[in-house]
Amino acid sequence: QVKLVESGGDLVPAGGSLRLSCAASGMTFHLKVMAWYHQAPGKGRDLVAFVDTHGNANYEEYLNDRFRISRDNAKNMVYLEMSDLKPEDTGVYYCNSFSRGYPWGQGTQVTVSS
């Protein structure tokens, strides 16, 4: 049974930084392209970044190099390092495969105050 558990969210001031973590289990993790998604209040769940099985990363253009996604295949973990946070980054962050093929975890709340 696949399980995704996100953590690391917090309330931070604008310009602050956070590191989100996602622990994955029940899948052949090292074979999966993994991604982080952002759900702003009242909005849908949007792709933020994804990392392929070799660690190559891709980001949504609006991020302007503020976020960095990485993975540790030995630990079945995906990370999202967030810097220069803005109020519009507020929301719940989820990890999943790039194809969104697994049951969603509970997410982790990021709140950026202005």
Side-chain angles (χ1 to χ4, degrees), residues 59-113:
Y59 303 91
E60 291 298 292
E61 285 191 15
Y62 73 90
L63 290 173
N64 293 325
D65 297 328
R66 296 186 297 117
F67 292 5
R68 191 176 82 89
I69 189 172
S70 61
R71 66 190 297 159
D72 185 335
N73 287 341
K75 297 181 179 179
N76 285 13
M77 296 289 293
V78 187
Y79 304 100
L80 187 68
E81 294 179 59
M82 313 166 78
S83 62
D84 190 22
L85 282 161
K86 303 178 185 300
E88 51 265 40
D89 296 322
T90 292
V92 182
Y93 286 76
Y94 301 87
C95 70
N96 207 317
S97 66
F98 182 68
S99 63
R100 306 187 185 211
Y102 297 114
W104 295 95
Q106 83 289 347
T108 188
Q109 175 70 45
V110 172
T111 304
V112 184
S113 61

Side-chain angles (χ1 to χ4, degrees), residues 27-75:
M27 66 170 81
T28 49
F29 179 82
H30 67 285
L31 297 179
K32 303 298 181 182
V33 178
M34 296 299 294
W36 281 96
Y37 300 86
H38 170 225
Q39 186 165 22
K43 300 294 179 73
R45 208 164 290 180
D46 296 326
L47 177 68
V48 172
F50 64 91
V51 57
D52 70 16
T53 58
H54 301 289
N56 300 307
N58 287 271
Y59 303 91
E60 291 298 292
E61 285 191 15
Y62 73 90
L63 290 173
N64 293 325
D65 297 328
R66 296 186 297 117
F67 292 5
R68 191 176 82 89
I69 189 172
S70 61
R71 66 190 297 159
D72 185 335
N73 287 341
K75 297 181 179 179

Side-chain angles (χ1 to χ4, degrees), residues 2-40:
V2 173
K3 190 173 183 183
L4 298 165
V5 180
E6 300 91 348
S7 62
D10 206 345
L11 169 63
V12 295
S17 300
L18 283 173
R19 187 193 196 211
L20 307 185
S21 299
C22 170
S25 59
M27 66 170 81
T28 49
F29 179 82
H30 67 285
L31 297 179
K32 303 298 181 182
V33 178
M34 296 299 294
W36 281 96
Y37 300 86
H38 170 225
Q39 186 165 22

